Amino acid sequence: MKFTKILVGVDDSQDALLAFKYAVDQAKQDQAELIIVSVLENEEMNVYEALSKDYVHGERAELEQHVLSYQRQAREAGVETVRTIVSEGEPGEVIVKDIIPHVEPDLLIVGSEAKKGLAQHFGSQAAYMAKYAPISVLVIR
């Protein structure tokens, strides 16, 4: 199967790095567009931090830099078309409900573990995305 638009979710976990590497290889092989997404999780901030615009801006700026470094790596590896998206909220929900309908990828690649065992009420972000995404989801471990 050949894909034309691949969406990969990244954070700074080991599994996300594996997912990213897999996505780069798949995008190169299929000559597909690669869209790299990362989601700033608001729940990780305490009330003081959430009220501090500087803190939120700093966190987001750091995440944007992180995603841009992934974009550079993908381009250096030979993927021609690479876009990035940084959003905020619950990663699984944001990716399934907002980003996938907007971007219309034909494959989502994610790592099996988030960086901090987040969202226990869902089991895991990857499980949520695999269950609810309207496209094929590849979970890397």
Side-chain angles (χ1 to χ4, degrees):
M1 187 168 184
K2 195 170 174 176
F3 298 102
T4 57
K5 212 184 268 192
I6 298 169
L7 180 64
V8 61
V10 297
D11 57 22
D12 53 12
S13 69
Q14 204 51 47
D15 280 3
L17 193 57
L18 291 174
F20 171 73
K21 287 179 176 165
Y22 191 97
V24 166
D25 288 345
Q26 190 70 52
K28 266 193 344 203
Q29 184 182 312
D30 294 350
Q31 295 179 321
E33 178 179 6
L34 181 64
I35 301 104
I36 304 164
V37 63
S38 197
V39 180
L40 181 62
E41 291 173 281
N42 301 329
E43 309 79 72
E44 288 183 8
M45 297 176 213
N46 66 38
V47 173
Y48 174 76
E49 291 167 342
L51 292 172
S52 163
K53 294 250 187 307
D54 292 341
Y55 180 84
V56 175
H57 180 74
E59 284 273 285
R60 189 175 173 118
E62 199 177 300
L63 189 60
E64 284 168 357
Q65 286 309 309
H66 198 59
V67 171
L68 288 173
S69 79
Y70 276 120
Q71 182 181 40
R72 263 193 313 279
Q73 290 173 53
R75 286 198 174 127
E76 285 165 8
V79 181
E80 285 185 32
T81 312
V82 189
R83 283 194 287 155
T84 61
I85 299 172
V86 173
S87 192
E88 290 176 36
E90 188 80 40
E93 277 189 38
V94 168
I95 289 171
V96 168
K97 296 177 179 171
D98 301 339
I99 293 169
I100 289 174
H102 177 75
V103 172
E104 299 180 334
D106 41 24
L107 177 65
L108 168 63
I109 301 177
V110 291
S112 64
E113 299 290 326
K115 59 183 171 179
K116 286 185 184 153
L118 300 155
Q120 258 77 24
H121 55 282
F122 278 143
S124 86
Q125 299 294 322
Y128 178 86
M129 290 183 268
K131 184 172 181 181
Y132 295 108
I135 58 172
S136 295
V137 178
L138 186 55
V139 179
I140 304 292
R141 20 175 80 85

